[in-house]
Amino acid sequence: MKLSELLYPGEYRSACDAEKITVQGLACHTDRMQEGFLFICLRGAHFDSLTLIEKIAASGACAVITERGTLPREDSAVPIFEVKNARAALATVYSRFYKNPADAMTVIGITGTNGKSSTAAILYGILRRAGKHTALIGTVECLIDGRRYSLPEEEGGNRLRTMTTPDPDILYPMLAKMKEEGIEYVVMEVSSHALALSKVSPIRFRLALFTNLSPEHLDFHDTIESYLAAKSILFRQADIGIFNCDDARAEELIAASTCRAVRTGVVWQGDARASDIVLRGARGVSYTYLSEKARMRVQVPLPGEFTVYNSLLALQAAVELGIRPAEITAALSDLPPVRGRLERLPLPDWADFSVFIDYAHTEEALRALLTSVRRFRQSGQRIVLLFGCGGDRDKGKRAAMGRVAEELSDFLIITSDNSRSEDPAAIIREIQSGTSQKEKQTVIKSRRSAIEYAILNARPKDILLLCGKGHETYEIDRRGVHYFDEREIVRAALEKRKNGDTLLHEN
C-alpha cells in the first residue's frame, strides 16, 4: 500500500513524496516495529516516542508521522510527515490501512459515566435475538456473534482487557475481523478518553447513546466541563443521538451536538419514556414503554432502578434501528446477567447469606447501587459493603464515596482497588476522611484478605457487596498487573468457612 493511500494531500507537511513510499505495516510502539512499517510518533503523559526517532529509523521504518519537529534535512535517516494531531492521524491511517471497516457496518456508540456496559449488553442481546449478526466492544468483553474476541499479550491483549475503548492499533484490525465475518451491527462503548484522544475519529456512528454524567476521570479532563466536551464529540460524529434527559447535563450535551436528538427518560416527558415502573427486587424491573412509534410492556430480569434507564436507552435504539416490538420484548425478558453488574454469585445451599459483585467505582454509581439494594433487602438483612478507590485517579471522589458508603450501608470493609503507583494505605485514609462512624467499618488493606473476612464473618441474611472491580480479573499495583478473580477468592473463602475457619483480618 502506498503512503498516499493513508495520508491525503492537505493532511500533512513533508518534503517527501507520499506516492513513492510503500507501507508494509503500521506501528506506534517501538517493540512492534518491522522493516517497511510506517511509525506514528505519539506523545503521552510520561513518554514521547519522537525521542526514539533514530532507533525507529534504524529498525527499517519506511516513514515516520510526527505531530511536531522540524521538516527533514537532506540527510534525514527516514522520511518525516508532520501532522496537526498525531493521535487523530493514528486512528485515520489504521482505519484506511484496514479499508475503513466501520463504513461497512452499522455502528452504535454508547457513552456516559455509568451504565455503558449494561446498556451495550442489553442492546447487543436485543439485536442478537432479532437475528442480526452483531459484535460488542466494551469494558466487560468483546464478542463477535457470541464468540469472545481476545488477543495474546504480545498483540495488545492486556490493553484490550483494561480499556473501555481499544487503541486504534487494536480497534481497527478488530473491526476488519468483524467485517470479514459478516457482522452487520457493532455496539461499542466509547469512553471520554477515547473521544479526547481521537481513537474513533474516522467512525461515523449511526446511533450514539448518552447514559448520564457525573464527576469522573477529572485527573485526565481537569474539569467537568472538559469531561462533558469530550463526550459531546461522539454526538458530532453520529446521525442520531439518544439521550437520557433525566440527567441534568443532557440538554447541555444536546446543544453541543449536530445529530438528530431523541429524548428519553422516566421523569422527562420526551420522545420516549418509561411509565408504570415496578421494581421487583432481585427479580428485575418492569415498565411500560411509550413513544409515538410504539407502546409495549417490558420485563427485564436485571435488578436496580438504573436498569430502567439502561434498558430504555437500548430499547429506543432498537426501535430506531427498526427492530420489531415483539422481538424487543422477548429479548428483554430473557437477558442474562451482565458480568460484574450487580451480579449475584451462586452459593452452596448451606450459605445463609448472599454475595454480589458490582463495578461501581464512582460516587453516583455507588449511590445508585446501594439505593437499589436497600429497596429489595428484607427485614433483618445487613448490607455489608467492601470497596476501595483506584490509585492515580481522581482523588476528589474518595471521601465522597466514603460518605455515600457509610450513609447507605450497614457495615464497611474498606480495602484496596487497583492502587497502581499509590500507597494503598494513603488511599484508604482519604476514603475514611469522608466517614465518621468508625464502629461501622474495618480496614483491611489486602483485598484478598478483605474478601475472606467478609465471607468468614458474614451473618445470616447478610447481603455482601464486593464493589469496584466488577468484571475485572486483575489487580494493578506498583508491581504491575496481576491475576485476581474475586469469584475464585469467594469460592476459596466459602471452603474455609465450611471447614470452620475463622479470620479476624490481616493487613
Side-chain angles (χ1 to χ4, degrees), residues 288-302:
T288 299
Y289 165 85
L290 299 169
S291 76
E292 290 185 359
K293 295 183 178 180
R295 176 192 179 101
M296 58 188 100
R297 186 69 187 173
V298 300
Q299 296 190 33
V300 189
L302 308 179

Side-chain angles (χ1 to χ4, degrees), residues 59-127:
S59 66
C62 65
V64 171
I65 292 176
T66 178
E67 186 173 298
R68 60 177 174 81
T70 58
L71 292 175
R73 304 183 304 275
E74 291 184 4
D75 60 349
S76 175
V78 62
I80 295 177
F81 290 78
E82 192 175 64
V83 296
K84 290 182 179 179
N85 184 328
R87 290 193 177 274
L90 175 70
T92 297
V93 298
Y94 265 96
S95 180
R96 290 172 181 169
F97 188 83
Y98 287 95
K99 309 297 184 184
N100 297 313
D103 293 351
M105 300 174 285
T106 299
V107 184
I108 302 102
I110 303 172
T111 198
T113 305
N114 301 305
K116 294 187 297 296
S117 296
S118 295
T119 304
I122 294 168
L123 180 55
Y124 175 78
I126 294 172
L127 292 171

Side-chain angles (χ1 to χ4, degrees), residues 215-222 361-363 387-403 418-434 478:
E216 174 70 334
H217 305 305
L218 299 188
D219 55 300
F220 179 83
H221 295 289
D222 294 329
H361 61 284
T362 68
E363 176 189 359
F387 81 109
C389 289
D392 301 334
R393 298 294 185 267
D394 180 20
K395 295 184 178 182
K397 69 180 183 181
R398 295 172 185 174
M401 288 181 67
R403 281 191 293 273
N418 292 338
S419 57
R420 298 182 176 87
S421 70
E422 289 194 63
D423 176 8
I427 298 174
I428 289 170
R429 286 193 295 271
E430 292 185 16
I431 294 171
Q432 285 187 295
S433 71
R478 287 172 173 170

Side-chain angles (χ1 to χ4, degrees), residues 347-369:
L347 302 184
D349 292 340
W350 55 261
D352 52 4
F353 54 91
S354 56
V355 181
F356 292 83
I357 291 180
D358 194 86
Y359 190 52
H361 61 284
T362 68
E363 176 189 359
E364 290 304 315
L366 198 57
R367 184 182 297 280
L369 171 70

Side-chain angles (χ1 to χ4, degrees), residues 9-29:
E11 295 179 341
Y12 64 88
R13 293 191 306 165
S14 180
C16 302
D17 187 353
E19 182 64 32
K20 295 181 179 179
I21 297 173
T22 300
V23 178
Q24 301 295 334
L26 308 174
C28 55
H29 300 277

Side-chain angles (χ1 to χ4, degrees), residues 343-345 347 351-357 373 376 381-382 384 454-455 458-466:
E343 173 190 355
R344 185 169 188 165
L345 299 188
L347 302 184
D352 52 4
F353 54 91
S354 56
V355 181
F356 292 83
I357 291 180
V373 174
F376 70 68
Q381 286 188 300
R382 291 192 313 162
V384 178
I455 298 296
R459 300 177 188 174
K461 297 185 178 181
D462 273 358
I463 299 173
L464 307 185
L465 300 177
L466 313 183

Side-chain angles (χ1 to χ4, degrees), residues 209-213 235 241-255 257 260-274 309-310 312-313 316:
L209 282 57
F210 168 69
T211 60
N212 50 63
L213 190 119
F235 299 93
I242 304 176
F243 301 84
N244 165 25
C245 283
D246 283 1
D247 186 89
R249 293 279 187 162
E251 289 299 328
E252 194 176 343
L253 191 60
I254 291 171
S257 305
R260 174 168 71 84
V262 178
R263 293 168 169 84
T264 70
V266 173
V267 178
W268 178 267
Q269 305 293 302
D271 300 295
R273 64 188 178 94
Y309 286 97
N310 297 336
L312 179 60
L313 283 170
Q316 184 61 36

